[in-house]
Amino acid sequence: MMKLRCRAKTQPGSAIGSVLHGKLCCRARTQPGSAIGSVLSVILCVMMAFYPMCACAETSENLELYARSAVLMDGGSGRVLYDKDGDTPLPMASTTKIMTCILALEAMADGTDIICTVSGNASAQPQVKLGMVEGDTFYLSDLLYSLMLESHNDTAVCVAEAVAGSVEDFAALMNEKAVEIGCTQTWYITPNGLDAEDENGVHHTTAHDLALVMRYCLRTSPQKEEFLAVTRTASYTFTNLSGTRTYSCTNHNAFLNLMDGALSGKTGYTAQAGYCYVGALERDGKLLIVALLACGWPNNKGYKWSDTKKLMNYGLSAFELRDITNLTASEANLDVRTEDIAVTNGQQESVTTVLDEPDPTPVLMRAEEEIEIRMEMLRTLEAPVQDGTQVGLVHYLVDGEEYAVTSILTAGAVKERTWLYCLRKLTEQYFL
C-alpha cells in the first residue's frame, strides 16, 4: 500500500491546523478476456482546519438594524455575511423592477431595440407613473430609465407587455428566471411590485433571494454592463417615437452619493411592504450587496439608508478576501496491482495523481474563520487506467458551505495485464 500525503499551503502568516495522512490502495484483477470490473469502495473524506473555530458571521454581531429582514452578501461568492431573518418571505415593492429591467435587457441582447405600444392597462396604473397615453409608442431602451430612475409603474407594465405579450406571461418569465438564479422563496405577480395576490400567494421575496437577484444582475447576466449603465445614470431625457412628448428622469437612488464605491440599487415602497432597498457597493476588490425588506413606514424614510451604510461598513471592516483554493494537495501514488501469476515477487504498477488546477475563488471571510478541505478518493481502481482519469474530488468550504470543487486526476496510465502483456514483459526481462 502507498500512503496518500496531503499538504496544504495557506496565505503568509497563517498557521496550518493539521496534516492528515490516509492510505490508498488501487487493485486490479485481470484474466484473459475478462471485462474491466467496477470501481469499488468510494469516498474517503479528509478534513483539514486552518483557523480556529468562530461563530457564524450572522450571529457574531448585533447591528441593531431597523429593517425587519436584512442580508449582507458577498457579491463575488454569494456568501451571506450577515443575516437578520433573511429567509422570511415579505412583499418587496419596487425592488421587483430589477428583475423587470434585466429581463428586458436580455430580450434586447442581440442589439435590436423593441418598440413598446402603451395599452390601456399600462396607462391605468397608479402613481408613481410616467403619464403614458394609450396607443403611444416608445423604444424599450428609453423606458428602462423611466423604470429604474423614477420607478414608474405604468412603464413597468408597458415593458412587460412589449417583452412577453402580457403581464401574466412576463410574470411567468420572472418566476422562471428566479428559479434559475437560485431563489427558493420568491413569487412574482406584477412587473412593478405593487401589492398583489393570486392563488399562489402574495407578491413576495426574501432578503436573501433579493440579494441573489441583484448579484445576478451585476455578475452573471450577459447584460450586466447594460444594467449598470442604466442604474448608475444620474438623469435621462427621451421622447415618444413620434417626438410629440418629452420626458425627463432623475435617479432617486440616494445611496449612489452616500458612500464611495456605491454601484447600483433600487428603492421600493408600498403600504404592505414598507420601505425596501437593494443596493451594491464595490471597494478594495470587495463587492457587497445589501437587501432590506420592511425597513420602516412613512416618517421613517431614511431608515433604509442608515441600515445600508451600517451593513456596508460592517462588510468593509470585518471581512477580507481570501482565495480559498490556494491550498495545494500533494501528489499521491495509486497502486494498480493484479493477482495474475505474471506479477509475482511483489511487482506493481503505479500511477501518479495530481490536483487539477482550481479556478481562483476569492471569498470574503473574517480573519479568524476556518477553511476546510474535504477530499473524496477512490480506494480501488481496475486496470487499464487512462491518463487524466478522475479519481477524486477536493471540496473547498467556509463555515460548512461549499464554494469551489476541483478534480484529482491520474497523471499517467496503467495498461491491463493481459497474457500478451505479461509475455512481452517476461521476454523483455529475461531474454532482452
PDB file of all heavy atoms in Angstrom, residues 100-118 132 136-144 158-165 170 173 239-241:
ATOM      1  N   THR A 100     -37.473  43.033 -13.627  1.00  0.00           N
ATOM      2  CA  THR A 100     -38.105  43.522 -14.859  1.00  0.00           C
ATOM      3  C   THR A 100     -37.067  44.097 -15.794  1.00  0.00           C
ATOM      4  O   THR A 100     -37.063  43.836 -17.006  1.00  0.00           O
ATOM      5  CB  THR A 100     -39.158  44.587 -14.506  1.00  0.00           C
ATOM      6  OG1 THR A 100     -40.118  44.026 -13.606  1.00  0.00           O
ATOM      7  CG2 THR A 100     -39.868  45.088 -15.763  1.00  0.00           C
ATOM      8  N   CYS A 101     -36.148  44.870 -15.246  1.00  0.00           N
ATOM      9  CA  CYS A 101     -35.117  45.521 -16.050  1.00  0.00           C
ATOM     10  C   CYS A 101     -34.182  44.511 -16.701  1.00  0.00           C
ATOM     11  O   CYS A 101     -33.899  44.595 -17.904  1.00  0.00           O
ATOM     12  CB  CYS A 101     -34.325  46.492 -15.178  1.00  0.00           C
ATOM     13  SG  CYS A 101     -33.025  47.379 -16.065  1.00  0.00           S
ATOM     14  N   ILE A 102     -33.694  43.545 -15.935  1.00  0.00           N
ATOM     15  CA  ILE A 102     -32.717  42.621 -16.503  1.00  0.00           C
ATOM     16  C   ILE A 102     -33.349  41.721 -17.555  1.00  0.00           C
ATOM     17  O   ILE A 102     -32.712  41.388 -18.567  1.00  0.00           O
ATOM     18  CB  ILE A 102     -32.023  41.795 -15.390  1.00  0.00           C
ATOM     19  CG1 ILE A 102     -30.679  41.244 -15.888  1.00  0.00           C
ATOM     20  CG2 ILE A 102     -32.905  40.671 -14.886  1.00  0.00           C
ATOM     21  CD1 ILE A 102     -29.652  42.304 -16.198  1.00  0.00           C
ATOM     22  N   LEU A 103     -34.615  41.343 -17.378  1.00  0.00           N
ATOM     23  CA  LEU A 103     -35.289  40.542 -18.400  1.00  0.00           C
ATOM     24  C   LEU A 103     -35.496  41.350 -19.681  1.00  0.00           C
ATOM     25  O   LEU A 103     -35.350  40.819 -20.791  1.00  0.00           O
ATOM     26  CB  LEU A 103     -36.632  40.034 -17.879  1.00  0.00           C
ATOM     27  CG  LEU A 103     -36.568  38.909 -16.839  1.00  0.00           C
ATOM     28  CD1 LEU A 103     -37.973  38.540 -16.372  1.00  0.00           C
ATOM     29  CD2 LEU A 103     -35.861  37.681 -17.399  1.00  0.00           C
ATOM     30  N   ALA A 104     -35.811  42.622 -19.532  1.00  0.00           N
ATOM     31  CA  ALA A 104     -35.973  43.480 -20.707  1.00  0.00           C
ATOM     32  C   ALA A 104     -34.640  43.647 -21.439  1.00  0.00           C
ATOM     33  O   ALA A 104     -34.577  43.591 -22.670  1.00  0.00           O
ATOM     34  CB  ALA A 104     -36.523  44.837 -20.290  1.00  0.00           C
ATOM     35  N   LEU A 105     -33.571  43.854 -20.691  1.00  0.00           N
ATOM     36  CA  LEU A 105     -32.251  43.980 -21.317  1.00  0.00           C
ATOM     37  C   LEU A 105     -31.853  42.705 -22.037  1.00  0.00           C
ATOM     38  O   LEU A 105     -31.291  42.745 -23.141  1.00  0.00           O
ATOM     39  CB  LEU A 105     -31.210  44.333 -20.248  1.00  0.00           C
ATOM     40  CG  LEU A 105     -31.248  45.765 -19.720  1.00  0.00           C
ATOM     41  CD1 LEU A 105     -30.367  45.904 -18.483  1.00  0.00           C
ATOM     42  CD2 LEU A 105     -30.806  46.754 -20.801  1.00  0.00           C
ATOM     43  N   GLU A 106     -32.137  41.562 -21.428  1.00  0.00           N
ATOM     44  CA  GLU A 106     -31.792  40.297 -22.066  1.00  0.00           C
ATOM     45  C   GLU A 106     -32.648  40.034 -23.297  1.00  0.00           C
ATOM     46  O   GLU A 106     -32.219  39.318 -24.213  1.00  0.00           O
ATOM     47  CB  GLU A 106     -31.899  39.160 -21.054  1.00  0.00           C
ATOM     48  CG  GLU A 106     -30.809  39.229 -19.987  1.00  0.00           C
ATOM     49  CD  GLU A 106     -30.907  38.138 -18.933  1.00  0.00           C
ATOM     50  OE1 GLU A 106     -31.861  37.330 -18.996  1.00  0.00           O
ATOM     51  OE2 GLU A 106     -30.037  38.091 -18.041  1.00  0.00           O
ATOM     52  N   ALA A 107     -33.834  40.622 -23.339  1.00  0.00           N
ATOM     53  CA  ALA A 107     -34.680  40.499 -24.533  1.00  0.00           C
ATOM     54  C   ALA A 107     -34.103  41.290 -25.702  1.00  0.00           C
ATOM     55  O   ALA A 107     -34.444  41.037 -26.863  1.00  0.00           O
ATOM     56  CB  ALA A 107     -36.100  40.981 -24.229  1.00  0.00           C
ATOM     57  N   MET A 108     -33.215  42.240 -25.405  1.00  0.00           N
ATOM     58  CA  MET A 108     -32.564  43.037 -26.443  1.00  0.00           C
ATOM     59  C   MET A 108     -31.094  42.655 -26.607  1.00  0.00           C
ATOM     60  O   MET A 108     -30.290  43.428 -27.123  1.00  0.00           O
ATOM     61  CB  MET A 108     -32.660  44.527 -26.097  1.00  0.00           C
ATOM     62  CG  MET A 108     -34.060  45.081 -26.050  1.00  0.00           C
ATOM     63  SD  MET A 108     -34.074  46.886 -25.816  1.00  0.00           S
ATOM     64  CE  MET A 108     -33.443  47.026 -24.131  1.00  0.00           C
ATOM     65  N   ALA A 109     -30.743  41.455 -26.176  1.00  0.00           N
ATOM     66  CA  ALA A 109     -29.340  41.036 -26.172  1.00  0.00           C
ATOM     67  C   ALA A 109     -28.719  41.017 -27.561  1.00  0.00           C
ATOM     68  O   ALA A 109     -27.501  41.143 -27.703  1.00  0.00           O
ATOM     69  CB  ALA A 109     -29.203  39.669 -25.513  1.00  0.00           C
ATOM     70  N   ASP A 110     -29.536  40.860 -28.608  1.00  0.00           N
ATOM     71  CA  ASP A 110     -28.997  40.831 -29.970  1.00  0.00           C
ATOM     72  C   ASP A 110     -28.750  42.219 -30.524  1.00  0.00           C
ATOM     73  O   ASP A 110     -28.335  42.377 -31.678  1.00  0.00           O
ATOM     74  CB  ASP A 110     -29.930  40.055 -30.898  1.00  0.00           C
ATOM     75  CG  ASP A 110     -31.309  40.705 -31.030  1.00  0.00           C
ATOM     76  OD1 ASP A 110     -31.571  41.711 -30.323  1.00  0.00           O
ATOM     77  OD2 ASP A 110     -32.135  40.200 -31.815  1.00  0.00           O
ATOM     78  N   GLY A 111     -29.001  43.250 -29.700  1.00  0.00           N
ATOM     79  CA  GLY A 111     -28.762  44.623 -30.132  1.00  0.00           C
ATOM     80  C   GLY A 111     -29.952  45.287 -30.787  1.00  0.00           C
ATOM     81  O   GLY A 111     -29.888  46.475 -31.144  1.00  0.00           O
ATOM     82  N   THR A 112     -31.042  44.559 -30.953  1.00  0.00           N
ATOM     83  CA  THR A 112     -32.242  45.110 -31.574  1.00  0.00           C
ATOM     84  C   THR A 112     -33.161  45.704 -30.521  1.00  0.00           C
ATOM     85  O   THR A 112     -33.546  45.017 -29.562  1.00  0.00           O
ATOM     86  CB  THR A 112     -33.003  44.023 -32.356  1.00  0.00           C
ATOM     87  OG1 THR A 112     -32.131  43.450 -33.323  1.00  0.00           O
ATOM     88  CG2 THR A 112     -34.225  44.619 -33.042  1.00  0.00           C
ATOM     89  N   ASP A 113     -33.512  46.970 -30.668  1.00  0.00           N
ATOM     90  CA  ASP A 113     -34.433  47.606 -29.736  1.00  0.00           C
ATOM     91  C   ASP A 113     -35.861  47.112 -30.005  1.00  0.00           C
ATOM     92  O   ASP A 113     -36.157  46.569 -31.074  1.00  0.00           O
ATOM     93  CB  ASP A 113     -34.359  49.124 -29.870  1.00  0.00           C
ATOM     94  CG  ASP A 113     -34.593  49.846 -28.548  1.00  0.00           C
ATOM     95  OD1 ASP A 113     -35.268  49.267 -27.680  1.00  0.00           O
ATOM     96  OD2 ASP A 113     -34.104  50.980 -28.384  1.00  0.00           O
ATOM     97  N   ILE A 114     -36.712  47.275 -29.023  1.00  0.00           N
ATOM     98  CA  ILE A 114     -38.101  46.828 -29.127  1.00  0.00           C
ATOM     99  C   ILE A 114     -39.020  48.035 -29.027  1.00  0.00           C
ATOM    100  O   ILE A 114     -38.832  48.895 -28.155  1.00  0.00           O
ATOM    101  CB  ILE A 114     -38.430  45.816 -28.015  1.00  0.00           C
ATOM    102  CG1 ILE A 114     -37.587  44.540 -28.174  1.00  0.00           C
ATOM    103  CG2 ILE A 114     -39.928  45.467 -28.008  1.00  0.00           C
ATOM    104  CD1 ILE A 114     -37.738  43.551 -27.043  1.00  0.00           C
ATOM    105  N   ILE A 115     -39.986  48.103 -29.907  1.00  0.00           N
ATOM    106  CA  ILE A 115     -40.976  49.184 -29.849  1.00  0.00           C
ATOM    107  C   ILE A 115     -42.099  48.777 -28.901  1.00  0.00           C
ATOM    108  O   ILE A 115     -42.678  47.694 -29.022  1.00  0.00           O
ATOM    109  CB  ILE A 115     -41.540  49.501 -31.246  1.00  0.00           C
ATOM    110  CG1 ILE A 115     -40.421  50.067 -32.140  1.00  0.00           C
ATOM    111  CG2 ILE A 115     -42.704  50.486 -31.152  1.00  0.00           C
ATOM    112  CD1 ILE A 115     -40.847  50.334 -33.563  1.00  0.00           C
ATOM    113  N   CYS A 116     -42.383  49.636 -27.949  1.00  0.00           N
ATOM    114  CA  CYS A 116     -43.413  49.382 -26.942  1.00  0.00           C
ATOM    115  C   CYS A 116     -44.636  50.251 -27.222  1.00  0.00           C
ATOM    116  O   CYS A 116     -44.515  51.477 -27.328  1.00  0.00           O
ATOM    117  CB  CYS A 116     -42.882  49.705 -25.542  1.00  0.00           C
ATOM    118  SG  CYS A 116     -41.346  48.871 -25.107  1.00  0.00           S
ATOM    119  N   THR A 117     -45.785  49.608 -27.309  1.00  0.00           N
ATOM    120  CA  THR A 117     -47.040  50.327 -27.505  1.00  0.00           C
ATOM    121  C   THR A 117     -47.817  50.334 -26.203  1.00  0.00           C
ATOM    122  O   THR A 117     -48.021  49.288 -25.577  1.00  0.00           O
ATOM    123  CB  THR A 117     -47.892  49.675 -28.614  1.00  0.00           C
ATOM    124  OG1 THR A 117     -47.130  49.664 -29.834  1.00  0.00           O
ATOM    125  CG2 THR A 117     -49.179  50.444 -28.827  1.00  0.00           C
ATOM    126  N   VAL A 118     -48.253  51.508 -25.769  1.00  0.00           N
ATOM    127  CA  VAL A 118     -48.910  51.669 -24.474  1.00  0.00           C
ATOM    128  C   VAL A 118     -50.334  51.120 -24.538  1.00  0.00           C
ATOM    129  O   VAL A 118     -51.135  51.534 -25.385  1.00  0.00           O
ATOM    130  CB  VAL A 118     -48.940  53.142 -24.049  1.00  0.00           C
ATOM    131  CG1 VAL A 118     -49.608  53.295 -22.684  1.00  0.00           C
ATOM    132  CG2 VAL A 118     -47.531  53.721 -24.031  1.00  0.00           C
ATOM    133  N   MET A 132     -48.102  57.877 -19.349  1.00  0.00           N
ATOM    134  CA  MET A 132     -48.244  57.398 -20.723  1.00  0.00           C
ATOM    135  C   MET A 132     -49.670  57.559 -21.223  1.00  0.00           C
ATOM    136  O   MET A 132     -50.633  57.483 -20.453  1.00  0.00           O
ATOM    137  CB  MET A 132     -47.877  55.913 -20.796  1.00  0.00           C
ATOM    138  CG  MET A 132     -46.421  55.601 -20.503  1.00  0.00           C
ATOM    139  SD  MET A 132     -46.162  53.805 -20.488  1.00  0.00           S
ATOM    140  CE  MET A 132     -44.405  53.757 -20.794  1.00  0.00           C
ATOM    141  N   ASP A 136     -49.710  55.327 -27.493  1.00  0.00           N
ATOM    142  CA  ASP A 136     -48.416  55.946 -27.752  1.00  0.00           C
ATOM    143  C   ASP A 136     -47.336  54.867 -27.866  1.00  0.00           C
ATOM    144  O   ASP A 136     -47.518  53.729 -27.397  1.00  0.00           O
ATOM    145  CB  ASP A 136     -48.067  56.925 -26.630  1.00  0.00           C
ATOM    146  CG  ASP A 136     -47.315  58.144 -27.162  1.00  0.00           C
ATOM    147  OD1 ASP A 136     -46.848  58.092 -28.311  1.00  0.00           O
ATOM    148  OD2 ASP A 136     -47.186  59.138 -26.413  1.00  0.00           O
ATOM    149  N   THR A 137     -46.198  55.204 -28.483  1.00  0.00           N
ATOM    150  CA  THR A 137     -45.126  54.232 -28.685  1.00  0.00           C
ATOM    151  C   THR A 137     -43.785  54.791 -28.204  1.00  0.00           C
ATOM    152  O   THR A 137     -43.524  55.992 -28.298  1.00  0.00           O
ATOM    153  CB  THR A 137     -45.009  53.841 -30.164  1.00  0.00           C
ATOM    154  OG1 THR A 137     -44.876  55.028 -30.960  1.00  0.00           O
ATOM    155  CG2 THR A 137     -46.228  53.054 -30.616  1.00  0.00           C
ATOM    156  N   PHE A 138     -42.945  53.878 -27.714  1.00  0.00           N
ATOM    157  CA  PHE A 138     -41.622  54.231 -27.189  1.00  0.00           C
ATOM    158  C   PHE A 138     -40.631  53.134 -27.551  1.00  0.00           C
ATOM    159  O   PHE A 138     -41.014  51.994 -27.832  1.00  0.00           O
ATOM    160  CB  PHE A 138     -41.654  54.350 -25.656  1.00  0.00           C
ATOM    161  CG  PHE A 138     -42.544  55.433 -25.124  1.00  0.00           C
ATOM    162  CD1 PHE A 138     -43.904  55.186 -24.909  1.00  0.00           C
ATOM    163  CD2 PHE A 138     -42.031  56.681 -24.813  1.00  0.00           C
ATOM    164  CE1 PHE A 138     -44.721  56.176 -24.402  1.00  0.00           C
ATOM    165  CE2 PHE A 138     -42.844  57.674 -24.308  1.00  0.00           C
ATOM    166  CZ  PHE A 138     -44.198  57.425 -24.100  1.00  0.00           C
ATOM    167  N   TYR A 139     -39.357  53.479 -27.477  1.00  0.00           N
ATOM    168  CA  TYR A 139     -38.323  52.463 -27.530  1.00  0.00           C
ATOM    169  C   TYR A 139     -38.144  51.878 -26.136  1.00  0.00           C
ATOM    170  O   TYR A 139     -38.118  52.598 -25.136  1.00  0.00           O
ATOM    171  CB  TYR A 139     -36.999  53.041 -28.011  1.00  0.00           C
ATOM    172  CG  TYR A 139     -36.914  53.239 -29.510  1.00  0.00           C
ATOM    173  CD1 TYR A 139     -36.650  54.490 -30.046  1.00  0.00           C
ATOM    174  CD2 TYR A 139     -37.086  52.159 -30.386  1.00  0.00           C
ATOM    175  CE1 TYR A 139     -36.571  54.683 -31.421  1.00  0.00           C
ATOM    176  CE2 TYR A 139     -37.011  52.340 -31.761  1.00  0.00           C
ATOM    177  CZ  TYR A 139     -36.753  53.603 -32.273  1.00  0.00           C
ATOM    178  OH  TYR A 139     -36.683  53.774 -33.628  1.00  0.00           O
ATOM    179  N   LEU A 140     -37.991  50.557 -26.091  1.00  0.00           N
ATOM    180  CA  LEU A 140     -37.806  49.890 -24.812  1.00  0.00           C
ATOM    181  C   LEU A 140     -36.559  50.409 -24.095  1.00  0.00           C
ATOM    182  O   LEU A 140     -36.570  50.596 -22.869  1.00  0.00           O
ATOM    183  CB  LEU A 140     -37.686  48.371 -25.035  1.00  0.00           C
ATOM    184  CG  LEU A 140     -37.413  47.505 -23.805  1.00  0.00           C
ATOM    185  CD1 LEU A 140     -38.474  47.701 -22.730  1.00  0.00           C
ATOM    186  CD2 LEU A 140     -37.321  46.037 -24.200  1.00  0.00           C
ATOM    187  N   SER A 141     -35.495  50.662 -24.828  1.00  0.00           N
ATOM    188  CA  SER A 141     -34.258  51.133 -24.203  1.00  0.00           C
ATOM    189  C   SER A 141     -34.456  52.453 -23.478  1.00  0.00           C
ATOM    190  O   SER A 141     -33.825  52.698 -22.444  1.00  0.00           O
ATOM    191  CB  SER A 141     -33.157  51.272 -25.254  1.00  0.00           C
ATOM    192  OG  SER A 141     -33.553  52.178 -26.274  1.00  0.00           O
ATOM    193  N   ASP A 142     -35.324  53.314 -23.977  1.00  0.00           N
ATOM    194  CA  ASP A 142     -35.619  54.577 -23.289  1.00  0.00           C
ATOM    195  C   ASP A 142     -36.441  54.333 -22.024  1.00  0.00           C
ATOM    196  O   ASP A 142     -36.207  54.963 -20.987  1.00  0.00           O
ATOM    197  CB  ASP A 142     -36.386  55.527 -24.217  1.00  0.00           C
ATOM    198  CG  ASP A 142     -35.516  56.118 -25.316  1.00  0.00           C
ATOM    199  OD1 ASP A 142     -34.296  56.254 -25.092  1.00  0.00           O
ATOM    200  OD2 ASP A 142     -36.057  56.430 -26.396  1.00  0.00           O
ATOM    201  N   LEU A 143     -37.406  53.440 -22.120  1.00  0.00           N
ATOM    202  CA  LEU A 143     -38.311  53.214 -20.989  1.00  0.00           C
ATOM    203  C   LEU A 143     -37.597  52.628 -19.773  1.00  0.00           C
ATOM    204  O   LEU A 143     -38.075  52.775 -18.640  1.00  0.00           O
ATOM    205  CB  LEU A 143     -39.458  52.292 -21.410  1.00  0.00           C
ATOM    206  CG  LEU A 143     -40.482  52.895 -22.378  1.00  0.00           C
ATOM    207  CD1 LEU A 143     -41.608  51.895 -22.640  1.00  0.00           C
ATOM    208  CD2 LEU A 143     -41.053  54.205 -21.844  1.00  0.00           C
ATOM    209  N   LEU A 144     -36.451  51.973 -19.987  1.00  0.00           N
ATOM    210  CA  LEU A 144     -35.746  51.396 -18.843  1.00  0.00           C
ATOM    211  C   LEU A 144     -35.247  52.461 -17.867  1.00  0.00           C
ATOM    212  O   LEU A 144     -35.122  52.203 -16.673  1.00  0.00           O
ATOM    213  CB  LEU A 144     -34.579  50.527 -19.323  1.00  0.00           C
ATOM    214  CG  LEU A 144     -34.981  49.279 -20.106  1.00  0.00           C
ATOM    215  CD1 LEU A 144     -33.755  48.445 -20.452  1.00  0.00           C
ATOM    216  CD2 LEU A 144     -35.990  48.435 -19.333  1.00  0.00           C
ATOM    217  N   CYS A 158     -45.908  48.451 -19.371  1.00  0.00           N
ATOM    218  CA  CYS A 158     -45.665  48.605 -20.804  1.00  0.00           C
ATOM    219  C   CYS A 158     -44.467  47.764 -21.242  1.00  0.00           C
ATOM    220  O   CYS A 158     -44.506  47.095 -22.284  1.00  0.00           O
ATOM    221  CB  CYS A 158     -45.438  50.079 -21.136  1.00  0.00           C
ATOM    222  SG  CYS A 158     -45.323  50.426 -22.917  1.00  0.00           S
ATOM    223  N   VAL A 159     -43.429  47.756 -20.444  1.00  0.00           N
ATOM    224  CA  VAL A 159     -42.243  46.945 -20.737  1.00  0.00           C
ATOM    225  C   VAL A 159     -42.602  45.466 -20.733  1.00  0.00           C
ATOM    226  O   VAL A 159     -42.210  44.708 -21.632  1.00  0.00           O
ATOM    227  CB  VAL A 159     -41.131  47.241 -19.715  1.00  0.00           C
ATOM    228  CG1 VAL A 159     -40.030  46.184 -19.786  1.00  0.00           C
ATOM    229  CG2 VAL A 159     -40.555  48.633 -19.936  1.00  0.00           C
ATOM    230  N   ALA A 160     -43.335  45.035 -19.717  1.00  0.00           N
ATOM    231  CA  ALA A 160     -43.704  43.621 -19.606  1.00  0.00           C
ATOM    232  C   ALA A 160     -44.519  43.167 -20.811  1.00  0.00           C
ATOM    233  O   ALA A 160     -44.281  42.081 -21.367  1.00  0.00           O
ATOM    234  CB  ALA A 160     -44.493  43.403 -18.315  1.00  0.00           C
ATOM    235  N   GLU A 161     -45.474  43.971 -21.215  1.00  0.00           N
ATOM    236  CA  GLU A 161     -46.329  43.603 -22.343  1.00  0.00           C
ATOM    237  C   GLU A 161     -45.539  43.582 -23.650  1.00  0.00           C
ATOM    238  O   GLU A 161     -45.802  42.752 -24.528  1.00  0.00           O
ATOM    239  CB  GLU A 161     -47.506  44.558 -22.433  1.00  0.00           C
ATOM    240  CG  GLU A 161     -48.482  44.421 -21.264  1.00  0.00           C
ATOM    241  CD  GLU A 161     -49.591  45.464 -21.267  1.00  0.00           C
ATOM    242  OE1 GLU A 161     -49.421  46.526 -21.916  1.00  0.00           O
ATOM    243  OE2 GLU A 161     -50.625  45.235 -20.605  1.00  0.00           O
ATOM    244  N   ALA A 162     -44.557  44.478 -23.785  1.00  0.00           N
ATOM    245  CA  ALA A 162     -43.755  44.506 -25.008  1.00  0.00           C
ATOM    246  C   ALA A 162     -42.839  43.289 -25.101  1.00  0.00           C
ATOM    247  O   ALA A 162     -42.618  42.741 -26.189  1.00  0.00           O
ATOM    248  CB  ALA A 162     -42.927  45.794 -25.058  1.00  0.00           C
ATOM    249  N   VAL A 163     -42.319  42.840 -23.984  1.00  0.00           N
ATOM    250  CA  VAL A 163     -41.375  41.717 -23.975  1.00  0.00           C
ATOM    251  C   VAL A 163     -42.091  40.375 -24.088  1.00  0.00           C
ATOM    252  O   VAL A 163     -41.653  39.488 -24.833  1.00  0.00           O
ATOM    253  CB  VAL A 163     -40.503  41.751 -22.699  1.00  0.00           C
ATOM    254  CG1 VAL A 163     -39.682  40.476 -22.560  1.00  0.00           C
ATOM    255  CG2 VAL A 163     -39.592  42.970 -22.718  1.00  0.00           C
ATOM    256  N   ALA A 164     -43.201  40.221 -23.351  1.00  0.00           N
ATOM    257  CA  ALA A 164     -43.823  38.893 -23.253  1.00  0.00           C
ATOM    258  C   ALA A 164     -45.245  38.830 -23.805  1.00  0.00           C
ATOM    259  O   ALA A 164     -45.805  37.735 -23.901  1.00  0.00           O
ATOM    260  CB  ALA A 164     -43.822  38.426 -21.799  1.00  0.00           C
ATOM    261  N   GLY A 165     -45.848  39.934 -24.105  1.00  0.00           N
ATOM    262  CA  GLY A 165     -47.200  39.928 -24.641  1.00  0.00           C
ATOM    263  C   GLY A 165     -48.263  40.259 -23.625  1.00  0.00           C
ATOM    264  O   GLY A 165     -49.313  40.798 -23.965  1.00  0.00           O
ATOM    265  N   PHE A 170     -45.251  37.681 -18.674  1.00  0.00           N
ATOM    266  CA  PHE A 170     -43.991  38.249 -18.200  1.00  0.00           C
ATOM    267  C   PHE A 170     -43.699  37.790 -16.769  1.00  0.00           C
ATOM    268  O   PHE A 170     -42.550  37.477 -16.433  1.00  0.00           O
ATOM    269  CB  PHE A 170     -44.028  39.775 -18.265  1.00  0.00           C
ATOM    270  CG  PHE A 170     -42.699  40.416 -17.997  1.00  0.00           C
ATOM    271  CD1 PHE A 170     -41.726  40.475 -18.981  1.00  0.00           C
ATOM    272  CD2 PHE A 170     -42.414  40.968 -16.755  1.00  0.00           C
ATOM    273  CE1 PHE A 170     -40.491  41.070 -18.741  1.00  0.00           C
ATOM    274  CE2 PHE A 170     -41.184  41.555 -16.499  1.00  0.00           C
ATOM    275  CZ  PHE A 170     -40.210  41.615 -17.500  1.00  0.00           C
ATOM    276  N   LEU A 173     -42.095  34.536 -16.861  1.00  0.00           N
ATOM    277  CA  LEU A 173     -40.669  34.656 -17.163  1.00  0.00           C
ATOM    278  C   LEU A 173     -39.877  35.073 -15.922  1.00  0.00           C
ATOM    279  O   LEU A 173     -38.760  34.585 -15.689  1.00  0.00           O
ATOM    280  CB  LEU A 173     -40.443  35.686 -18.275  1.00  0.00           C
ATOM    281  CG  LEU A 173     -40.979  35.352 -19.668  1.00  0.00           C
ATOM    282  CD1 LEU A 173     -40.697  36.499 -20.634  1.00  0.00           C
ATOM    283  CD2 LEU A 173     -40.364  34.059 -20.183  1.00  0.00           C
ATOM    284  N   THR A 239     -37.949  60.974 -25.731  1.00  0.00           N
ATOM    285  CA  THR A 239     -39.265  61.324 -26.287  1.00  0.00           C
ATOM    286  C   THR A 239     -39.996  60.062 -26.706  1.00  0.00           C
ATOM    287  O   THR A 239     -39.405  58.976 -26.794  1.00  0.00           O
ATOM    288  CB  THR A 239     -39.126  62.236 -27.524  1.00  0.00           C
ATOM    289  OG1 THR A 239     -38.518  61.479 -28.596  1.00  0.00           O
ATOM    290  CG2 THR A 239     -38.277  63.465 -27.214  1.00  0.00           C
ATOM    291  N   ASN A 240     -41.289  60.198 -26.960  1.00  0.00           N
ATOM    292  CA  ASN A 240     -42.009  59.099 -27.606  1.00  0.00           C
ATOM    293  C   ASN A 240     -41.546  59.008 -29.058  1.00  0.00           C
ATOM    294  O   ASN A 240     -40.810  59.890 -29.548  1.00  0.00           O
ATOM    295  CB  ASN A 240     -43.522  59.302 -27.495  1.00  0.00           C
ATOM    296  CG  ASN A 240     -43.961  60.643 -28.071  1.00  0.00           C
ATOM    297  OD1 ASN A 240     -43.154  61.426 -28.578  1.00  0.00           O
ATOM    298  ND2 ASN A 240     -45.255  60.917 -28.001  1.00  0.00           N
ATOM    299  N   LEU A 241     -41.929  57.960 -29.769  1.00  0.00           N
ATOM    300  CA  LEU A 241     -41.415  57.757 -31.116  1.00  0.00           C
ATOM    301  C   LEU A 241     -41.860  58.842 -32.084  1.00  0.00           C
ATOM    302  O   LEU A 241     -41.140  59.176 -33.030  1.00  0.00           O
ATOM    303  CB  LEU A 241     -41.847  56.384 -31.645  1.00  0.00           C
ATOM    304  CG  LEU A 241     -41.157  55.174 -31.025  1.00  0.00           C
ATOM    305  CD1 LEU A 241     -41.523  53.901 -31.780  1.00  0.00           C
ATOM    306  CD2 LEU A 241     -39.649  55.344 -31.006  1.00  0.00           C
TER     307      LEU A 241
END
